[in-house]
Amino acid sequence: MSCGRRDREERGLARCSACPAADRAPLPAAQTRTARSARAPAPRGLSPAVDQGAAVTPAGSGREPGAPLRRRRRRRRPGPRRRSRLPPCLRPYPHPVRDPNPGPGPDPDPARGPANLDRGPGSGPGPGGPAVGTMLPSSIQISGEPLSGAEVRDICRGLRDNAVRLLSLRGCRLCDRDFGRICRALAGATSLAQLNLNLGVVSSPNRIKQLAEALRTNRSIQSLFLHGSPLTDAGLALLNPALALHPALVALDLGDCMLGDEAINLICGLLPPDGAKSGLKELTLSANPGITPKGWSRLAIAVAHSSQVRVLNLDYNPLGDHVAGMLAVAVASSRTLEVLDLEGTGLTNQSAQTLLDMVENYPTALRSLVLAENSISPELQQQICDLLSEGEEEEEVPGGAGDTQERQRGREPAAHQRGSSSWVCPSGKSPEGG
């Protein structure tokens, strides 16, 4: 039948004038009355029918005589929804698995672009993978994109359920309300080990206070990256009490945070171990030109005395030869410092000669020294590289594989954060020219 004739018969309505003549035969009088009364509004809660009672059923409709006529409901098509960029493990969660090695493993790269799931080798069921049990923590990595409310809810749910080990929101844009929700969720997270809020995510004093409040409660974060955040000395003063009392924090990136000498005084208090707190092992203070030589001298003394620092990144600061000489004394006194980054710090051959004498005459733990983008001759760089390579080979023999793996584990966070390697003294490689 054309124009929905059968549908109209079921409703008891008249035919369309566009139907063929054979289809426009008049309805019986009883059915016509039924159709007219069906158009009238019926009382609420009753189906349209003749006198709100039993309707006359059209022939061939398949309805029982006396059954009320009901209107068909149309299904509403939902509008387009924005797809979440979060890992599928958070919406909804996959089958839980048990981690056979609950100890901390190598952290994924925090600057690996948009959100992706990184479970590492052996994360799925099967030979060599964990058995069914509890959830393996995953990673959420989003870079330089605005966050929707749905994505923020998924992040908070993953943090509350302890399903996230690495959270990287590098350069993401979100409102103050959503930032506060994430801070409240990470306050109670026990699986989160690395938090990356680089490139302006912590952009106001209010957000600094919210982050400090979360760090006072959190006990699991080991690495905190705030590179490129306008903290200033006042902002770091708000964060310092939470950082000083955090029991697990070992890596801190405060590069390009507009810091000065007052901030250096606070950072020096984070370096030595204190009771249950192990102290910082990796510190990044890149691109903070507001720090004067007086502040750098205080840092050099703190590194030399009672410090656990293994990686120290001071690149792109106007240090000069005077500060480099003080740092050479700190390196000679430190028993733990393995990586020192002095790239683009205004050094000359005078500084390089001082560092060469230190490496040649005093046994140190230093294994890697970055001197790129300085006015230093390639010959001096090569001599420093050769001496450090010889010291590393001598340590590998008595120390064994365990010490080598421990040193490599200490280098990984710096390589992950910086993205490219410009080390002067890896084994078998020549240094870059100044």
Side-chain angles (χ1 to χ4, degrees):
M1 299 182 183
S2 61
C3 295
R5 177 182 176 187
R6 179 173 300 175
D7 181 68
R8 292 177 179 274
E9 285 184 356
E10 293 178 357
R11 302 184 191 181
L13 303 177
R15 293 355 179 243
C16 178
S17 59
C19 297
D23 293 342
R24 287 189 278 109
L27 289 173
Q31 298 186 18
T32 303
R33 288 194 301 272
T34 303
R36 291 175 180 175
S37 61
R39 297 192 191 98
R44 188 174 182 179
L46 299 177
S47 301
V50 177
D51 297 334
Q52 289 78 42
V56 179
T57 306
S61 63
R63 297 179 180 272
E64 298 181 359
L69 297 178
R70 298 181 179 179
R71 297 179 181 271
R72 291 185 177 180
R73 296 181 178 179
R74 296 181 180 179
R75 297 182 178 178
R76 296 182 180 179
R77 296 181 179 179
R81 297 181 178 179
R82 183 178 179 181
R83 298 181 61 185
S84 177
R85 296 185 295 270
L86 297 180
C89 66
L90 298 180
R91 21 170 254 280
Y93 296 123
H95 296 293
V97 291
R98 177 177 56 82
D99 188 359
N101 300 317
D107 291 331
D109 186 358
R112 285 181 52 188
N116 56 72
L117 178 63
D118 188 356
R119 291 183 174 274
S123 61
V132 175
T134 57
M135 174 72 64
L136 266 181
S138 61
S139 63
I140 300 177
Q141 304 179 54
I142 308 175
S143 178
E145 300 183 15
L147 295 182
S148 64
E151 291 169 339
V152 172
R153 286 193 297 271
D154 290 340
I155 291 173
C156 295
R157 183 183 64 181
L159 292 173
R160 286 192 299 266
D161 294 345
N162 296 319
V164 180
R165 177 174 175 81
L166 183 152
L167 176 60
S168 177
L169 305 179
R170 184 173 178 268
C172 291
R173 300 181 295 278
L174 69 166
C175 63
D176 292 342
R177 178 185 176 186
D178 290 340
F179 183 84
R181 293 168 58 189
I182 293 177
C183 287
R184 288 190 295 271
L186 67 88
T190 59
S191 64
L192 185 64
Q194 183 169 334
L195 178 61
N196 188 332
L197 300 177
N198 286 348
L199 302 183
V201 178
V202 186
S203 57
S204 64
N206 185 34
R207 294 193 177 188
I208 296 175
K209 293 178 182 178
Q210 292 175 335
L211 179 60
E213 198 66 32
L215 292 176
R216 288 191 184 97
T217 308
N218 182 275
R219 291 293 181 267
S220 64
I221 294 179
Q222 301 174 11
S223 302
L224 177 62
F225 300 96
L226 300 175
H227 197 108
S229 301
L231 297 182
T232 69
D233 292 351
L236 187 60
L238 296 175
L239 274 178
N240 185 69
L243 298 177
L245 297 177
H246 201 286
L249 187 65
V250 293
L252 181 62
D253 186 348
L254 297 177
D256 195 14
C257 289
M258 305 171 63
L259 302 181
D261 290 348
E262 295 182 4
I264 288 293
N265 295 336
L266 300 175
I267 293 172
C268 291
L270 303 176
L271 300 184
D274 182 13
K277 186 173 69 69
S278 61
L280 292 180
K281 297 182 179 180
E282 178 183 351
L283 177 61
T284 298
L285 294 174
S286 310
N288 282 294
I291 303 176
T292 65
K294 181 179 179 181
W296 293 123
S297 63
R298 293 179 180 176
L299 179 66
I301 295 173
V303 170
H305 175 71
S306 182
S307 173
Q308 301 293 325
V309 174
R310 295 184 178 182
V311 180
L312 183 60
N313 299 315
L314 304 179
D315 50 318
Y316 296 103
N317 285 299
L319 302 182
D321 293 334
H322 178 65
V323 176
M326 293 186 293
L327 290 175
V329 176
V331 172
S333 304
S334 175
R335 298 181 180 180
T336 59
L337 188 61
E338 299 179 357
V339 177
L340 179 61
D341 189 351
L342 299 177
E343 179 180 357
T345 53
L347 306 186
T348 64
N349 287 338
Q350 178 181 349
S351 302
Q353 188 64 48
T354 303
L355 294 172
L356 178 62
D357 295 339
M358 180 266 299
V359 173
E360 185 176 9
N361 300 319
Y362 299 94
T364 65
L366 191 65
R367 297 292 174 266
S368 182
L369 180 62
V370 185
L371 296 175
E373 298 189 21
N374 287 298
S375 300
I376 300 176
S377 64
E379 292 78 10
L380 285 176
Q381 294 190 42
Q382 184 64 49
Q383 293 179 25
I384 296 174
C385 176
D386 294 340
L387 290 174
L388 292 177
S389 300
E390 292 175 1
E392 185 175 1
E393 293 174 358
E394 292 176 359
E395 290 292 334
E396 286 179 356
V397 176
D403 292 344
T404 304
Q405 294 176 359
E406 185 67 22
R407 289 195 300 270
Q408 185 66 22
R409 189 179 299 114
R411 291 195 190 102
E412 285 175 355
H416 288 163
Q417 177 63 19
R418 306 188 60 78
S420 62
S421 177
S422 59
W423 306 122
V424 171
C425 50
S427 299
K429 295 182 181 180
S430 61
E432 298 181 6

